[in-house]
Amino acid sequence: MQSAPIVRIEHLSRSFIGPDGKSFFALNDVSLTAPKNEITMLVGPDGAGKTTLLRICAGLLGFTSPKEAANKVLDLDLNTPGNLAQVQQQISYMPQRFGLYEDLSVMENMELYARLYGLNKEEFSNRAKELLHMTNLTNFTTYLAGTLSGGMKQKLGLACTLLSHPKLLILDEPCVGVDPLSRVELWEIIRRNVKQDKLSVLISTSYLDETQYANKVYVLNEGMVIFADSSKALEDMASNKTYAISTGLPVLPRVLGAMLLEKDNLVVDAVPNKGSLAVTLGKDVQIDKLNLGQDYKVSPRVQRSEDGFMCVFNKLSQNKANSDSGISNKSIMSIFSSEELLNLSQGKLTNDAFCEDIKRESIIEVKDLVKNFGNFTAVNHTSFNVGKGEIFGLLGPNGAGKTTTFRMLCGLIPASSGILNVAGFNLRKARVEARKKIGYVAQKFSLYTDLSVGENLDFFAGVYGLRADIKTKRINEVIEQYELMPYYNTKTLLLPGGFKQRLSMAVGTIHKPEILFLDEPTSGIDPIARRIFWHQITGLAKEGTTVIITTHFLEEAEYCNRIMIQDKGEMIALGTPDEVRKQGMTAGNTSEYLSMEEVFISIVKKFRDKEQ
Amino acid sequence: MKEFLKRVLALTNKEFKQLWRDKANIMLGIGLPIILIFVFGYGISFDIRNAKLGVIDLTHSELSVKLHHSINASHYLDAIAYPSIEAAKKDFLLERIEGVVVIPNNFDAALWHNKASIEVFVDGKDPNRAQALQGYVASVISQTYSKESIKKYGRVPGSIDIAYRMWFNQAVSSTWYIVPGLIVLIITLVGTFLTALVMAREWERGTLEAIFVSPVKPLEIILGKIIPYFVVGLLGLSICMLAAKFLFEIPIKGSIILIYAFSMLYLVIALAIGLLISAAVRNQYVASQLSVATSFLPCVMLSGFIFDLRNVPVIVSFIGHLLPSTYFMDLLKTLYLAGNYWPIIIKDGLILGVYALLLIYLTVLKTKKSLD
């Protein structure tokens, strides 16, 4: 007989009061079963209800459900008072934001949890030793948690939750803000505990490739479950629809992708991947309907969970005429003229910005750049150039120095030594002049949430010192460009998520900067929003804006003209995604065409081995 | 029970470590009491140097001239002679002098009838300074008088009645009871402000969310917060009392045990208010604003620390009497300055007890292991 599932949720609902004062369903008639000793995964866009569901399972939030419904964790009914304490005794939960005491050391954090769970000294020292080893934190036990890198913090958090040998582990997006290397390690720890310790896991994630580890995947959207099956079944949602298009021309894959996304409902997804364009066709669309010129080479490719995910959302938006979920013409702004669209699909090149290998004049020159914080060298003798109109990606694990480099480039912190020219100005001497040429979009949109869209634009245009006539003109331009007109008088707080992103882009570009700096703009946002975002960036680059971007999603490096990888303050790779890929391939001794993530891991590992 | 103690101990231990590492907290809990007591204490005791006093000598006897000279000779006072009260009052209005001493014309004769009086006028706008001035004048006069009369007559003919008059603010009679006031202030600060802040920080950083899903019980979380800040509060209190005793030599009339006992009771009230605030807002910034606005400021303004509640409008007095700090202030002033006066101790003690029970009940009710 099959044993009872560790979590059983039936027809569960939960509503909250939204910022507009109206009540809305965060979860609407959700049912879920998480079997014992398995990994059950929740995916879906922001605001889909993942966190709410996890919190309910952890006994932290109330809910409503029909009388006859059973909502049980560890076979204990969540509605029965007194059961919650019993549940919480046997499970562990890691909220999205660490939940660590930053002013306590690694060991002190672990001790606290051990004592709260009532472990005795011997149990604790054995288990702590095991977990410290597993998390590679053995040498860091005296470090304060606040001084650890993002990846190490998450590993410590995981170690704390695993101390008590919980029966169920609930993890809320544990990999947000974690570099790929640490992410691999985190998953190793989780999977090892599932195997050895009979652990059951309920986890949410925004990395769709992680569905490969899950036994069952639930896709949530707007508080409802829209898909529930194995990760294989999720992949198969896209079976026979996935193709790789290598341009064969100097056309950048991102430009081809942007073009295809603008065509009416032909493709569900189009992202640069492994040097070509990965396309997922829409429902009932055949590949020849794309009408591509002969130079483009089309070949079938294996479907990934991300493709399946996009198909699930596409199906949803077709069923609901008015839904704005998934990528649709409504969410994609048009950045090409119809003539450009036609030319591009035929492979005729009309704009240099669409091409890979054109000669570009440098807009940013960095030579021997150094930044010291006391005795610590955050950036060590780094030199590179960025060409006008390029999308330039800064990549690296947590603590690699990419944020420091980024901040020096946009003049937020001074360099210790070296040459730093931005838009023709020496940034070390003429910071103010250089700043007028650059735009900056911070990780958390720096918008005034109680001002309307129009007021925000007006304010920031004023801050950048635009003259009255130019100001009105530019405001009108960005409103048109980012299609913000319907929300002109809407308070920013009440904007749908995607439009907040658009507004912050509009604000960052209102003074027509020559260079736009984006600091992890896609961190923690879902795949659909990321597609829309990159579409905007492609549009900006087409207009000649240079874009400098940091990201945690390595596959996004494929959107860039060139990328730089840093580790421990050193630049360890620089070039086009393909050039960097070659560097990673020789390092890994493999003939396979690697994904950017694999390339990254191989390059960083090689560098670290050499260091030792 | 053993589990319970172990968990409370674990939480308390953690809190102490955090407290010790965050220097800002230490400053607030221990540094601030020291700073406050110096600012308030020295600000009052030693500010008076060479204060200018008008002296109107209407007798011109040997004794009255001696009195006049002795006032001038004091470190604290400078005498300036005036022919008439009117002339002195003019300079007084122009703030050229801070007070006026009037020796009447029949002074020597009245002495033998035990009817001698000296009038001292001081500036009532600043009652604290005025009071200090009165003290200096009185001691100079009485010392000179007894010394001179013993030298001359071999005995003191009769006592001098020194009549004090306040100009500008005649009704004022408030005394700045610095030390009891400071104790109330510091306990409120540590109990409410600091506790609200650290608890809100735990909500903000998600640490409470993580700890909720563990065998820990709400009461244990509360105790884990209360115990460390209770200790810090008592430390602040002790610093104040030691400073009062050794720096300012302020005597304690009542029982030290009672002072500590009621301070602990009030500390519990302050802590409970802090925990309630943080449970309600869960945000450090709002929590700090709210705790300053609802407990610290009223404690300074409305509990009788600065303004005597007998001299304020009815509505202000009414609000003041809703605050637990008012009763604690009253109780402490009594214990410190008047001694063990039981009717007040029992009345204020009972009121504080009721507040404590009510607030603890609310805190336990409010601190649920839930994010709702």
Side-chain angles (χ1 to χ4, degrees), chain B residues 228-243:
Chain B
Y229 291 95
F230 193 80
V231 173
V232 174
L234 287 185
L235 219 59
L237 163 77
S238 306
I239 290 172
C240 269
M241 289 182 51
L242 284 176

mmCIF file of all heavy atoms in Angstrom, chain B residues 228-243:
data_model
loop_
_atom_site.group_PDB
_atom_site.id
_atom_site.type_symbol
_atom_site.label_atom_id
_atom_site.label_comp_id
_atom_site.label_asym_id
_atom_site.label_seq_id
_atom_site.Cartn_x
_atom_site.Cartn_y
_atom_site.Cartn_z
ATOM 1 N N PRO B 228 16.997 39.540 28.139
ATOM 2 C CA PRO B 228 18.200 40.346 27.920
ATOM 3 C C PRO B 228 17.965 41.847 28.125
ATOM 4 O O PRO B 228 18.783 42.524 28.734
ATOM 5 C CB PRO B 228 18.550 40.076 26.459
ATOM 6 C CG PRO B 228 17.864 38.811 26.123
ATOM 7 C CD PRO B 228 16.646 38.756 26.947
ATOM 8 N N TYR B 229 16.843 42.339 27.627
ATOM 9 C CA TYR B 229 16.631 43.782 27.726
ATOM 10 C C TYR B 229 16.233 44.189 29.136
ATOM 11 O O TYR B 229 16.442 45.328 29.554
ATOM 12 C CB TYR B 229 15.629 44.242 26.662
ATOM 13 C CG TYR B 229 16.291 44.112 25.326
ATOM 14 C CD1 TYR B 229 16.114 42.978 24.542
ATOM 15 C CD2 TYR B 229 17.205 45.067 24.915
ATOM 16 C CE1 TYR B 229 16.798 42.818 23.365
ATOM 17 C CE2 TYR B 229 17.898 44.924 23.727
ATOM 18 C CZ TYR B 229 17.685 43.792 22.957
ATOM 19 O OH TYR B 229 18.388 43.645 21.800
ATOM 20 N N PHE B 230 15.686 43.232 29.877
ATOM 21 C CA PHE B 230 15.428 43.440 31.295
ATOM 22 C C PHE B 230 16.755 43.707 32.004
ATOM 23 O O PHE B 230 16.906 44.653 32.771
ATOM 24 C CB PHE B 230 14.768 42.172 31.844
ATOM 25 C CG PHE B 230 14.159 42.346 33.196
ATOM 26 C CD1 PHE B 230 12.912 42.942 33.325
ATOM 27 C CD2 PHE B 230 14.808 41.908 34.327
ATOM 28 C CE1 PHE B 230 12.338 43.096 34.569
ATOM 29 C CE2 PHE B 230 14.242 42.050 35.577
ATOM 30 C CZ PHE B 230 13.002 42.654 35.694
ATOM 31 N N VAL B 231 17.726 42.886 31.689
ATOM 32 C CA VAL B 231 19.046 43.027 32.313
ATOM 33 C C VAL B 231 19.683 44.362 31.918
ATOM 34 O O VAL B 231 20.214 45.083 32.768
ATOM 35 C CB VAL B 231 19.959 41.849 31.909
ATOM 36 C CG1 VAL B 231 21.374 42.081 32.402
ATOM 37 C CG2 VAL B 231 19.404 40.545 32.451
ATOM 38 N N VAL B 232 19.587 44.693 30.641
ATOM 39 C CA VAL B 232 20.167 45.965 30.190
ATOM 40 C C VAL B 232 19.483 47.142 30.882
ATOM 41 O O VAL B 232 20.141 48.091 31.322
ATOM 42 C CB VAL B 232 20.031 46.106 28.654
ATOM 43 C CG1 VAL B 232 20.498 47.482 28.198
ATOM 44 C CG2 VAL B 232 20.848 45.041 27.961
ATOM 45 N N GLY B 233 18.172 47.054 30.998
ATOM 46 C CA GLY B 233 17.421 48.118 31.664
ATOM 47 C C GLY B 233 17.875 48.295 33.101
ATOM 48 O O GLY B 233 18.079 49.415 33.580
ATOM 49 N N LEU B 234 18.048 47.182 33.808
ATOM 50 C CA LEU B 234 18.486 47.250 35.208
ATOM 51 C C LEU B 234 19.891 47.830 35.310
ATOM 52 O O LEU B 234 20.199 48.568 36.251
ATOM 53 C CB LEU B 234 18.457 45.863 35.842
ATOM 54 C CG LEU B 234 17.066 45.318 36.149
ATOM 55 C CD1 LEU B 234 17.166 43.993 36.875
ATOM 56 C CD2 LEU B 234 16.259 46.305 36.978
ATOM 57 N N LEU B 235 20.708 47.517 34.319
ATOM 58 C CA LEU B 235 22.070 48.053 34.295
ATOM 59 C C LEU B 235 22.029 49.576 34.165
ATOM 60 O O LEU B 235 22.726 50.301 34.896
ATOM 61 C CB LEU B 235 22.809 47.446 33.097
ATOM 62 C CG LEU B 235 24.266 47.083 33.305
ATOM 63 C CD1 LEU B 235 24.401 46.087 34.433
ATOM 64 C CD2 LEU B 235 24.841 46.526 32.016
ATOM 65 N N GLY B 236 21.194 50.047 33.245
ATOM 66 C CA GLY B 236 21.040 51.489 33.058
ATOM 67 C C GLY B 236 20.555 52.156 34.334
ATOM 68 O O GLY B 236 21.050 53.205 34.750
ATOM 69 N N LEU B 237 19.575 51.507 34.963
ATOM 70 C CA LEU B 237 19.013 52.015 36.214
ATOM 71 C C LEU B 237 20.092 52.129 37.288
ATOM 72 O O LEU B 237 20.205 53.140 37.988
ATOM 73 C CB LEU B 237 17.904 51.059 36.663
ATOM 74 C CG LEU B 237 17.428 51.131 38.104
ATOM 75 C CD1 LEU B 237 16.524 52.335 38.275
ATOM 76 C CD2 LEU B 237 16.680 49.871 38.491
ATOM 77 N N SER B 238 20.908 51.089 37.396
ATOM 78 C CA SER B 238 21.955 51.085 38.423
ATOM 79 C C SER B 238 22.987 52.178 38.170
ATOM 80 O O SER B 238 23.442 52.829 39.118
ATOM 81 C CB SER B 238 22.652 49.724 38.467
ATOM 82 O OG SER B 238 21.688 48.711 38.621
ATOM 83 N N ILE B 239 23.312 52.361 36.895
ATOM 84 C CA ILE B 239 24.284 53.419 36.558
ATOM 85 C C ILE B 239 23.751 54.774 37.020
ATOM 86 O O ILE B 239 24.453 55.559 37.651
ATOM 87 C CB ILE B 239 24.554 53.431 35.043
ATOM 88 C CG1 ILE B 239 25.345 52.191 34.648
ATOM 89 C CG2 ILE B 239 25.305 54.691 34.629
ATOM 90 C CD1 ILE B 239 25.490 52.003 33.163
ATOM 91 N N CYS B 240 22.472 55.001 36.734
ATOM 92 C CA CYS B 240 21.846 56.255 37.140
ATOM 93 C C CYS B 240 21.912 56.456 38.646
ATOM 94 O O CYS B 240 22.238 57.534 39.139
ATOM 95 C CB CYS B 240 20.373 56.248 36.753
ATOM 96 S SG CYS B 240 20.090 56.912 35.162
ATOM 97 N N MET B 241 21.578 55.389 39.369
ATOM 98 C CA MET B 241 21.513 55.520 40.823
ATOM 99 C C MET B 241 22.900 55.713 41.421
ATOM 100 O O MET B 241 23.080 56.485 42.368
ATOM 101 C CB MET B 241 20.809 54.309 41.432
ATOM 102 C CG MET B 241 19.326 54.354 41.112
ATOM 103 S SD MET B 241 18.329 53.035 41.790
ATOM 104 C CE MET B 241 18.787 53.036 43.480
ATOM 105 N N LEU B 242 23.870 55.034 40.864
ATOM 106 C CA LEU B 242 25.246 55.201 41.351
ATOM 107 C C LEU B 242 25.739 56.616 41.078
ATOM 108 O O LEU B 242 26.337 57.261 41.950
ATOM 109 C CB LEU B 242 26.174 54.189 40.676
ATOM 110 C CG LEU B 242 26.062 52.755 41.200
ATOM 111 C CD1 LEU B 242 26.946 51.825 40.389
ATOM 112 C CD2 LEU B 242 26.448 52.704 42.676
ATOM 113 N N ALA B 243 25.452 57.090 39.871
ATOM 114 C CA ALA B 243 25.876 58.446 39.528
ATOM 115 C C ALA B 243 25.214 59.453 40.449
ATOM 116 O O ALA B 243 25.844 60.402 40.926
ATOM 117 C CB ALA B 243 25.531 58.745 38.072
#
